[in-house]
Amino acid sequence: MSEQSTIHYERTSPQVARITFANPPVNIIVGETVLRLIQIVEELATDPDIQVVVFDSATPDFFYNHFDLAAAADFPAPEDENEVPAWTSLVLALSKAPYITIAAIRGRTRGGGNELALALDLRYASREKAIFGQPEVGSGLLPGGGGTERLPRAIGRDRALEAILTSDDYDADTAERWGWITRALPDSELDAFVDTIVGRLASFDRTSLASAKAQINRASLPPDADLVAAYRGFAHSLTLPGFLARAAGTQAIVEQAGVDFEYRMGHYIGIANQQR
């Protein structure tokens, strides 16, 4: 297994790989994570044996979190207006990959982390420990990685509006009921259930799996151009008065709350706006 500071990658068999997010204390998304994920996904795209890739976390209470806006300069930026942004390219590649992607979700999964999870094929979550959210609007931003494109297709327009506009946190029971995730399971059963699914799929014919996924994709995925436009909207929102006016107030609450801000982000975003 090779290790990076924010990603662990392991090939557990010729047919199966595991990608583990490991950026404690709260698994925030940084540029290195994105670049390493792109590298792994590109390598697996031409692998003749891979059939299943599992995503999980080594950081307690956090599966995959939001972007680290304080380090935005570290994220790969398009060289011109016609280039697909790196994050958009990553989530598109995962959705279309010729293998099956599975998330084993424990902990907070918000913002870009939630958008990456939505790009995966199957999402299994701990009933007791998984939390989901798209917190951008409450901070004066726009989702930029597919949340506004994928979430309405998964849970319906009205529920997507509630989740995105309120920027609140949602537990695994609600996420399962709405169709945000594939299935919620008791935490003690999650790993065994995912292992069973992985073993079953790894035993199937690779071409049949990839072809069936491609057919379902034709019926269900948003147009690529919509995700490109969403990322550009997100990047532009970083410059707008709505975000800039809230940034200082939010930062003050972050400094006061410490790591609890990441645990109860939906709660604190509401406080930050109401205290303005």
Side-chain angles (χ1 to χ4, degrees):
M1 178 176 71
S2 63
E3 294 191 6
Q4 303 292 321
S5 64
T6 58
I7 292 286
H8 297 171
Y9 172 69
E10 181 180 10
R11 192 63 172 265
T12 59
S13 77
Q15 293 79 29
V16 179
R18 183 175 294 268
I19 294 172
T20 301
F21 302 116
N23 189 24
V26 296
N27 263 5
I28 204 165
I29 303 173
V30 296
E32 179 189 9
T33 315
V34 178
L35 291 171
R36 179 63 176 141
L37 279 173
I38 291 171
Q39 178 187 19
I40 293 170
V41 170
E42 287 178 348
E43 291 173 356
L44 290 175
T46 58
D47 190 300
D49 297 317
I50 193 70
Q51 293 186 199
V52 186
V53 179
V54 179
F55 291 75
D56 63 11
S57 171
T59 304
D61 302 326
F62 293 88
F63 174 71
Y64 203 29
N65 214 344
H66 56 85
F67 280 29
D68 182 2
L69 295 181
D74 296 336
F75 288 88
E79 295 183 3
D80 60 67
E81 62 180 16
N82 296 318
E83 183 181 353
V84 176
W87 181 257
T88 306
S89 179
L90 172 63
V91 293
L92 289 173
L94 284 168
S95 294
K96 300 176 183 180
Y99 47 82
I100 309 305
T101 53
I102 299 176
I105 300 173
R106 285 186 173 90
R108 281 77 182 157
T109 306
R110 300 193 186 98
N114 181 62
E115 291 174 326
L116 184 132
L118 288 170
L120 304 181
D121 300 322
L122 300 170
R123 292 172 295 283
Y124 299 111
S126 164
R127 192 175 300 280
E128 299 93 332
K129 297 182 178 181
I131 300 289
F132 301 87
Q134 287 288 159
E136 292 88 352
V137 169
S139 300
L141 296 172
L142 294 174
T148 45
E149 291 67 45
R150 299 189 196 274
L151 203 54
R153 286 170 167 80
I155 68 177
R157 178 179 181 273
D158 55 341
R159 286 171 170 169
L161 280 168
E162 180 189 307
I164 291 171
L165 297 183
T166 67
S167 299
D168 211 346
D169 290 334
Y170 290 81
D171 61 29
D173 284 330
T174 302
E176 180 187 44
R177 188 168 64 252
W178 283 11
W180 197 323
I181 57 175
T182 311
R183 192 186 297 240
L185 299 116
D187 187 73
S188 61
E189 300 175 13
L190 177 62
D191 294 332
F193 185 90
V194 170
D195 288 346
T196 298
I197 294 289
V198 170
R200 182 180 179 90
L201 294 179
S203 73
F204 286 6
D205 175 67
R206 184 180 187 273
T207 300
S208 295
L209 287 174
S211 298
K213 174 177 171 176
Q215 290 188 185
I216 293 170
N217 282 351
R218 287 201 300 268
S220 60
L221 290 185
D224 292 3
D226 287 359
L227 273 77
V228 173
Y231 190 88
R232 290 173 179 159
F234 159 72
H236 181 59
S237 70
L238 289 168
T239 69
L240 296 178
F243 169 67
L244 298 175
R246 286 165 173 77
T250 301
Q251 183 58 35
I253 289 180
V254 169
E255 292 174 358
Q256 180 180 6
V259 74
D260 193 54
F261 181 89
E262 298 292 346
Y263 277 86
R264 298 195 296 152
M265 182 177 289
H267 167 73
Y268 284 113
I269 283 176
I271 290 177
N273 280 275
Q274 292 161 15
Q275 288 183 351
R276 290 184 67 246

